[in-house]
Amino acid sequence: MPPHLNLMPESSRIPFTLAAPVGRERMYVEEALAAGALTGDGKFTGLCEKWLERSLNAPRAILTPSCTAALEMAALLLDLKPGDEVIMPSFTYVSTANAFVLRGAVPVFVDVRADTLNIDETKIGAAITPRTRAIVAVHYAGEPCAMDAIMELAEDTRLSVIEDAAQGLLSDYRDRSVGTIARFGCFSFHGTKNTTCGHGGALVVNRPEDFARADVIRDRGTDRKKFLEGGVQKYSWVDVGSSYYMSELSSAYLLAQLEQSRAVAAKRKNICRAYRRALEPLEAAGHIRLPGAEPCGSGNGHIFYLLTRSADVRHKLLAHLSGLGVDAAFHYTPLHMTPAGERFARAAGPLPVTEQISQTILRLPVFATMDGSQLKRVVDAVLGFYA
Ligand SMILES: *Cc1c(COP(=O)(O)O)cnc(C)c1O
């Protein structure tokens, strides 16, 4: 631990992220405990799925143990064969790629746009080969990808599109919720996300022809759901599958979070707007670059980042902030530069934007309970560094 961390009492540090109860979490968890039925697909799981379907205008939402699991379900539903290729950004979390590698498919990395850090839709076409089966659109920081262009390209080339909407709950693209535009949308309720139950996720299934098989894959490859609905006399093993349920305890907590999620997103967006206003002079002076946005998109305040001029400046700025009790963060190691990425995936071509931003991105603290004085401390710390 660097010595300056000891100068600041723990209580006055500003955490990078904070997952706190925001509504009826305790009440709903008590209710689930009292009911004594904690396995998945109970009352609270159903209420969360209904909430997602209604709020996102999604045909079908299925709670999963994580976004990783939702991505795995999407990969299973695509029936990928070894050697099939899936186009995605290298600037993303490992789960985006792992889900497809588990099926023997090969992630093919395309560079991201410098303004939104989302997959560069103009570079996807050149990455398509006869083995390409799907495109994964990762909505980085909750900012939507250029979905019109991606969906049009996918239709022309008969590819499936999966939205990795892990960070995208309640972001819109034109009039539609992120995660409901492509064939599948995968959401995360991990502790680092806007709305959380610790570990959790959801698969949004946007085509009715995928509903029945999604139920089977979720339920260990059995037709138990059909049996419970009276469609068959007994249930049996009918397909591949796994156990992709969320426990009722997690669902109970999650429902309370979902109920407050619009308020939380509004709060986070206000924090991001305030950061932007305060830091624009630094951008004008050429010290940093601030996020751009997809013109027809609305984000959800998931991440506020700035881009420094070099890796060295970022390193110094992080240390400066830490010394003042502000926990900032960076990510991702581009997947094509990781040991597993080198082994299981390939880059479609050079990825200069990905490599540049992964060296210079710095994320500032954003959490729903952040107050004005905390915000001011972060802003002053950044401004102070460049003064
Ligand atoms: C958080 C995240 C995931 C993984 O979500 P889990 O719920 O932790 O499995 C996947 N993709 C992206 C882009 C993420 O940010």
Side-chain angles (χ1 to χ4, degrees):
M1 185 183 277
H4 54 253
L5 289 183
N6 299 328
L7 300 176
M8 189 67 54
E10 221 26 67
S11 58
S12 71
R13 287 196 75 81
I14 300 175
F16 173 66
T17 180
L18 190 66
V22 288
R24 298 179 180 149
E25 285 86 349
R26 287 181 180 87
M27 192 177 121
Y28 290 163
V29 169
E30 284 288 349
E31 189 183 328
L33 286 173
L38 301 182
T39 43
D41 231 9
K43 173 186 166 179
F44 285 105
T45 297
L47 288 172
C48 288
E49 290 177 347
K50 281 280 160 311
W51 190 97
L52 288 167
E53 287 165 5
R54 257 200 303 270
S55 303
L56 307 181
N57 196 18
R60 187 76 208 287
I62 297 173
L63 286 198
T64 57
S66 63
C67 181
T68 303
L71 287 160
E72 287 174 23
M73 280 188 73
L76 282 164
L77 282 157
L78 288 181
D79 245 336
L80 295 174
K81 304 282 178 293
D84 284 347
E85 295 179 351
V86 180
I87 293 172
M88 64 182 68
S90 174
F91 186 71
T92 183
Y93 190 61
V94 294
S95 297
T96 314
N98 245 334
F100 301 95
V101 170
L102 281 169
R103 309 261 62 77
V106 180
V108 174
F109 300 126
V110 166
D111 211 358
V112 291
R113 286 164 45 153
D115 55 352
T116 59
L117 314 193
N118 281 332
I119 192 165
D120 186 339
E121 67 279 6
T122 65
K123 302 226 165 82
I124 295 173
I128 295 175
T129 75
R131 311 211 67 163
T132 307
R133 292 285 316 281
I135 302 165
V136 188
V138 181
H139 303 295
Y140 180 72
E143 282 296 330
C145 296
M147 291 308 291
D148 281 349
I150 293 171
M151 294 310 291
E152 200 176 306
L153 178 66
E155 260 157 51
D156 292 348
T157 49
R158 294 169 170 274
L159 299 176
S160 290
V161 180
I162 298 114
E163 295 176 76
D164 181 338
Q167 304 174 10
L169 185 72
L170 298 177
S171 291
D172 294 330
Y173 177 78
R174 299 194 187 280
D175 294 334
R176 298 167 74 183
S177 291
V178 150
T180 66
I181 299 162
R183 184 166 168 188
F184 301 112
C186 304
F187 289 90
S188 175
F189 303 117
H190 184 264
T192 53
K193 304 302 201 274
N194 287 15
T195 292
T196 176
C197 56
H199 288 283
L203 176 71
V204 165
V205 184
N206 292 314
R207 288 195 200 163
E209 56 268 37
D210 288 320
F211 291 179
R213 190 152 184 256
D215 289 332
V216 167
I217 285 173
R218 171 206 215 179
D219 208 347
R220 309 142 184 115
T222 72
D223 57 355
R224 196 178 67 107
K225 178 153 184 182
K226 223 179 189 179
F227 163 72
L228 292 173
E229 290 168 354
V232 286
Q233 295 288 311
K234 60 181 173 60
Y235 77 86
S236 58
W237 184 20
V238 295
D239 201 341
V240 292
S242 189
S243 179
Y244 288 121
Y245 282 97
M246 181 188 283
S247 142
E248 275 289 285
L249 272 185
S250 297
S251 307
Y253 192 97
L254 181 62
L255 181 63
Q257 289 264 311
L258 288 171
E259 287 172 349
Q260 294 301 318
S261 56
R262 282 192 196 282
V264 164
K267 184 94 203 285
R268 296 179 73 115
K269 278 171 83 165
N270 277 337
I271 293 168
C272 293
R273 274 190 216 107
Y275 275 143
R276 173 179 284 281
R277 262 196 313 274
L279 300 179
E280 265 165 2
L282 290 183
E283 184 174 45
H287 290 305
I288 60 169
R289 207 154 61 68
L290 293 173
E294 177 62 29
C296 36
S298 90
N300 59 3
H302 179 56
I303 288 175
F304 185 87
Y305 67 85
L306 57 86
L307 297 160
T308 61
R309 291 184 63 147
S310 70
D312 182 51
V313 173
R314 179 178 72 180
H315 179 76
K316 290 181 176 133
L317 177 53
L318 274 168
H320 173 83
L321 293 176
S322 182
L324 294 170
V326 175
D327 291 334
F330 60 87
H331 68 177
Y332 302 101
T333 301
L335 296 182
H336 70 284
M337 299 169 84
T338 62
E342 282 174 16
R343 200 162 138 212
F344 298 121
R346 69 178 172 82
L351 306 174
V353 181
T354 298
E355 290 178 16
Q356 172 69 18
I357 56 161
S358 71
Q359 297 272 310
T360 57
I361 190 168
L362 186 149
R363 298 178 294 152
L364 295 178
V366 181
F367 47 93
T369 51
M370 190 171 191
D371 63 30
S373 72
Q374 289 174 312
L375 187 96
K376 185 170 183 310
R377 260 181 65 199
V378 179
V379 166
D380 288 347
V382 177
L383 293 176
F385 176 79
Y386 285 104

